[in-house]
Amino acid sequence: MEKDKGYFVHPTAVVDEGARVGAGTKIWHFCHVMGSAVIGERCVLGQNVFVAANVTIGNNVHIQNNVSVYEGVELQDDVFCGPSMVFTNVRDPRAAFPRASTAEYEKTLVRRGASLGANCTVVCGVTVGENAFVAAGAVVTRDVPAHALAGGIPARLLGYVCACGERLGMLVPGDRRACGRCGREYVCGPGGLDAAT
């Protein structure tokens, strides 16, 4: 435990000077956090996680083993990244013509509470909506609406999920649904689900 800083870094992990890490965060075996990365409070970085320069990670984010969070990716609070899931930050990579500047990286935003399943791929330039759930092995090539359950190659809408993770089934704009597990109520709009008022 880095007692003076309030977070844990395993002896095999490297946190570069200039990185900011929040209290209660745990950075496990063989991780590398580059300088100028910002990681919030109470996060968990599993074995072999890489966090690039200029990445922002919110509070209570759980990143499982073997995930690289490249520059251009932002993870809001309460995001879950499953084992070996993949982010990209360039759509047309070429070894002979490297895209190596911040201006050339496409932005990817994963909104609060979203879950990205094991071995899924999130192609750069998309937004994964609040509390969305991307299935294991899916390939996300376009925006995922709030509370959407997305799966397949390429990923497509398979239904909706509650903030607690319970499936709500397929809905169309105007539909209302209550979660059978926690009782939260939703209304379906053009951008996904919203809390019912």
Side-chain angles (χ1 to χ4, degrees):
M1 183 82 151
E2 300 275 350
K3 294 192 187 307
D4 59 327
K5 297 179 181 174
Y7 57 86
F8 171 83
V9 178
H10 190 272
T12 62
V14 175
V15 177
D16 290 345
E17 187 174 342
R20 295 189 347 228
V21 180
T25 288
K26 296 178 180 175
I27 300 172
W28 289 101
H29 306 69
F30 311 114
C31 290
H32 182 192
V33 178
M34 293 184 72
S36 74
V38 177
I39 300 173
E41 299 178 355
R42 302 176 317 281
C43 295
V44 178
L45 277 61
Q47 181 174 301
N48 198 37
V49 169
F50 170 72
V51 179
N54 304 314
V55 164
T56 300
I57 295 174
N59 297 321
N60 195 42
V61 172
H62 290 225
I63 304 175
Q64 302 299 303
N65 297 353
N66 306 313
V67 175
S68 293
V69 185
Y70 296 115
E71 186 171 352
V73 176
E74 178 183 348
L75 307 179
Q76 292 185 342
D77 295 349
D78 303 317
V79 166
F80 177 88
C81 296
S84 301
M85 63 82 44
V86 174
F87 289 107
T88 68
N89 62 1
V90 174
R91 282 193 188 262
D92 57 352
R94 293 286 199 196
F97 301 93
R99 277 66 163 177
S101 73
T102 299
E104 295 175 298
Y105 299 141
E106 292 195 43
K107 303 296 183 196
T108 298
L109 174 61
V110 183
R111 293 196 183 277
R112 184 179 65 81
S115 292
L116 307 174
N119 291 305
C120 75
T121 298
V122 178
V123 175
C124 58
V126 302
T127 296
V128 177
E130 185 172 313
N131 293 313
F133 196 107
V134 175
V139 177
V140 176
T141 59
R142 59 182 176 225
D143 291 352
V144 177
H147 292 273
L149 172 62
I153 302 174
R156 65 193 186 286
L157 180 66
L158 301 176
Y160 289 95
V161 294
C162 178
C164 74
E166 185 76 4
R167 283 187 177 202
L168 301 172
M170 188 60 84
L171 291 96
V172 297
D175 284 353
R176 297 174 73 90
R177 184 82 38 96
C179 175
R181 179 188 291 171
C182 72
R184 287 180 177 89
E185 295 186 9
Y186 298 94
V187 62
C188 186
L193 294 191
D194 294 307
T197 54

